[in-house]
Amino acid sequence: MNYYSEHSKVWVSVDCIVFGFEEGKLKLLIGKRQMDPGRGEWSLYGGFVRDDESLKDAANRVLYELTGMKKVYMKQVGAFGAIDRDPGERVISVAYCALINVTDYDDLLRQQHGLEWVNIDELPKLYSDHNEMVRKAISLLRRRIKTEPLSFNLLPSLFTLTQLQNVYEAILGDEIDKRNFRKRIKTYDFIEKTELIDKYHSKRGAALYRFNKRNYNEESSFKL
């Protein structure tokens, strides 16, 4: 039996908003669109949802195609369904925000897809409503980073407190008082100080820290 035949059909896609942190800047992974309409325009990376996929499965597939990485932090940003958002067909897109450590991303794969890391404060005009997707994703990060340890997804496994503070400042778009930040950070058991010293990024040698996920899961609260 052919159900819903009296209703019009629409296409459903997912778009991945992939953030990274490099050289003290929050960056976005974008590339030139490889299909019509909009061929050659700067764009997020996305794809259509297959018949045998859930939205999350489709987003994970697209992200894996893009980065070769699994078990990446990813959250749904929202649905975008303006009637004229895609001049090709009636397309509804569900955007997902992902956070990755730039150094974990194979640069050859980035080049293969023709992608670039661009500072979020220097974004060009993106295809369709992709700039709006990015703005909403940043708003989501700014809300969540105060109550969730999102920043550790953007950092290497070992990091300095300066690097950690820089991530917060890059996402929030504002400077943070260094003394208060470090005082707060040191109250959390899941941010562990190691015996290792960073001599590459710090001339005087800064202590290296790591995120203890097990301890975090046992914490009753987290707030910065």
Side-chain angles (χ1 to χ4, degrees), residues 35-166:
M35 62 167 61
D36 293 319
R39 185 183 298 270
E41 294 183 29
W42 288 107
S43 172
L44 298 173
Y45 193 88
F48 288 101
V49 180
R50 297 171 180 171
D51 289 341
D52 60 347
E53 289 180 321
S54 67
L55 285 171
K56 189 173 183 180
D57 288 341
N60 279 320
R61 170 180 56 81
V62 169
L63 188 62
Y64 181 73
E65 291 173 357
L66 179 66
T67 66
M69 299 166 66
K70 295 183 178 180
K71 296 183 179 179
V72 171
Y73 175 90
M74 185 168 62
K75 292 290 184 183
Q76 187 180 120
V77 174
F80 297 79
I83 295 173
D84 59 350
R85 65 173 303 275
D86 192 309
E89 293 285 352
R90 180 76 166 95
V91 180
I92 294 174
S93 181
V94 180
Y96 284 82
C97 168
L99 304 178
I100 68 172
N101 178 11
V102 173
T103 58
D104 288 341
Y105 181 26
D106 187 345
D107 202 56
L108 291 177
L109 191 57
R110 179 191 64 78
Q111 295 176 38
Q112 177 184 325
H113 287 289
L115 302 169
E116 293 186 21
W117 286 108
V118 179
N119 294 344
I120 59 168
D121 54 359
E122 298 174 356
L123 284 184
K125 172 67 175 67
L126 302 179
Y127 174 74
S128 184
D129 51 6
H130 289 187
N131 286 92
E132 182 184 355
M133 292 180 180
V134 175
R135 285 193 292 271
K136 289 194 174 183
I138 293 173
S139 294
L140 179 146
L141 290 182
R142 286 175 175 170
R143 292 193 305 271
R144 287 180 173 267
I145 197 171
K146 296 178 181 180
T147 56
E148 297 178 30
L150 305 186
S151 54
F152 304 107
N153 297 284
L154 296 165
L155 291 167
S157 57
L158 295 173
F159 52 85
T160 66
L161 291 184
T162 296
Q163 288 174 308
L164 181 60
Q165 181 173 340
N166 287 343

